[in-house]
Amino acid sequence: IRTQQDLERNTNIPIFGNILHSQTKSDLVVYENPKSIIAESFRALRTNLQFMLSGNLGKVLSIHSTNPNEGKSFFSINLATILAMNNKKVLIIGADMRKPRLHKIFDLPNENGLSTYLIGNDNINQIIVATLFENLSFLPSGPIPPNPAEILEKPEMKILIESVRSQFDFIIIDNAPSAMVTDG
């Protein structure tokens, strides 16, 4: 698959939008350059998601890619930001517990988070933190566990998602690359 037309010709998968490649070094392009073309591409995606996804509970979007460095975290953080800028309550979950990165972008600690919740050391309210962005909350991955795939399969993960769906309009899960590990 090289173009959108290849995808349209060979599948019935709906296309919600196209995100341009960022030419900047920043991971926060939507926030730092709100009038840029890339910010507009995220706005178009936001509009289409809001139109296509219905229901009263928070919408859960799980972001995946095949390999590292394909832009999962960049995409997750900018989609979360553009949704929050439209007065939607958004939670972004750092579910890449092998190479966590989101906490660095938000300049927040990673001592507690998804991993410590899933093993029973913390409750949900202890691991969700506010960001500098209005309407955007963050659940860091937490310390790197020895068994990420196993703890992500625990029933507590489903409990977490169901619990936060009533508190947030959108939940965005930033996962590990699928070709490398089975976590996502």
Side-chain angles (χ1 to χ4, degrees):
I1 298 173
R2 297 187 189 274
T3 67
Q4 178 175 328
Q5 289 75 25
D6 293 336
L7 192 62
E8 291 171 333
R9 210 175 12 254
N10 295 299
T11 72
N12 291 325
I13 298 172
I15 297 172
F16 288 87
N18 292 299
I19 304 300
L20 302 173
H21 181 77
S22 177
Q23 300 298 321
T24 69
K25 298 279 184 211
S26 173
D27 286 305
L28 300 168
V29 296
V30 165
Y31 174 73
E32 293 172 357
N33 300 300
K35 295 181 181 177
S36 66
I37 294 172
I38 194 166
E40 278 304 315
S41 66
F42 275 102
R43 278 188 190 87
L45 175 60
R46 175 188 69 198
T47 300
N48 290 335
L49 284 172
Q50 291 174 329
F51 178 74
M52 298 294 287
L53 302 176
S54 60
N56 294 330
L57 282 177
K59 287 87 177 144
V60 180
L61 304 171
S62 188
I63 310 303
H64 300 265
S65 77
T66 307
N67 295 304
N69 302 314
E70 289 183 329
K72 288 177 308 305
S73 296
F74 173 85
F75 178 82
S76 297
I77 203 161
N78 282 286
L79 178 59
T81 302
I82 204 75
L83 287 164
M85 290 169 87
N86 199 37
N87 293 318
K88 299 296 180 191
K89 288 190 67 177
V90 181
L91 174 65
I92 184 168
I93 299 175
D96 185 345
M97 287 195 264
R98 294 177 189 265
K99 210 173 168 186
R101 185 169 158 312
L102 290 177
H103 68 283
K104 293 174 186 173
I105 297 168
F106 284 122
D107 195 25
L108 291 167
N110 196 39
E111 285 80 36
N112 301 76
L114 186 57
S115 63
T116 57
Y117 165 77
L118 292 173
I119 62 170
N121 287 356
D122 290 313
N123 67 46
I124 294 172
N125 297 328
Q126 292 173 302
I127 56 173
I128 296 176
V129 295
T131 68
L132 295 176
F133 307 105
E134 188 176 351
N135 297 315
L136 180 56
S137 297
F138 174 52
L139 196 164
S141 61
I144 299 170
N147 55 344
E150 288 76 18
I151 68 169
L152 283 166
E153 287 184 18
K154 294 180 84 170
E156 287 80 359
M157 184 66 181
K158 184 176 182 179
I159 293 167
L160 170 74
I161 299 298
E162 290 306 317
S163 174
V164 296
R165 285 186 78 193
S166 63
Q167 300 170 41
F168 295 92
D169 299 309
F170 286 90
I171 297 94
I172 297 174
I173 305 171
D174 183 54
N175 290 284
S178 61
M180 310 301 279
V181 294
T182 62
D183 303 2

